[in-house]
Amino acid sequence: MKASVEQVRHNVTLIALDGRLDVAGVQAVESDFNAAVAAASNVLVELSKVPFIASLGLRLLVAGSQTLAKRGGKMVLIGPDESTMRVLKTTGIDQLMQIRSSVGNALASF
């Protein structure tokens, strides 16, 4: 699992995840992910290269979203594949965070 962080607007940070968001994947990116969330106003999380998401991955996303919400920001998820989207819907994450098909669509929500 890899994570890359990029500032896409003055108030929006993009975190692109690449790999399985399972126990090992979360351990590999958690520190960088949390640091990016702590420094950001709003976060886009690119999930198009995440073929699998486990409960720890969901926890990482929810905790990050809650951190941002406490400061008046938000997290938007981008481009999950079909199996990841099914997990997000089944667990109700799609009710907690917006899910968009592309970075452009996500940026329009700010």
Side-chain angles (χ1 to χ4, degrees):
M1 168 59 74
K2 295 183 288 185
S4 62
V5 179
E6 173 187 352
Q7 192 78 25
V8 292
R9 280 197 187 157
H10 73 280
N11 66 338
V12 181
T13 299
L14 172 66
I15 303 172
L17 299 176
D18 185 351
R20 293 172 56 90
L21 206 47
D22 53 15
V23 173
V26 169
Q27 289 174 344
V29 300
E30 188 169 28
S31 179
D32 290 339
F33 186 93
N34 289 337
V37 167
S41 299
N42 299 288
V43 172
L44 308 178
V45 181
E46 172 64 61
L47 295 174
S48 64
K49 294 183 180 178
V50 176
F52 177 81
I53 187 166
S55 59
L56 281 177
L58 296 172
R59 181 190 58 81
L60 181 71
L61 297 175
V62 170
S65 179
Q66 290 173 337
T67 296
L68 291 165
K70 288 177 186 175
R71 298 191 316 257
K74 68 179 176 178
M75 180 177 287
V76 178
L77 307 179
I78 301 170
D81 70 10
E82 188 176 320
S83 66
T84 300
M85 182 61 125
R86 189 169 35 254
V87 172
L88 296 172
K89 286 185 173 186
T90 300
T91 58
I93 300 297
D94 65 325
Q95 301 299 310
L96 300 174
M97 292 172 243
Q98 295 178 24
I99 301 173
R100 299 286 187 240
S101 60
S102 68
V103 172
N105 287 342
L107 285 172
S109 70
F110 292 101

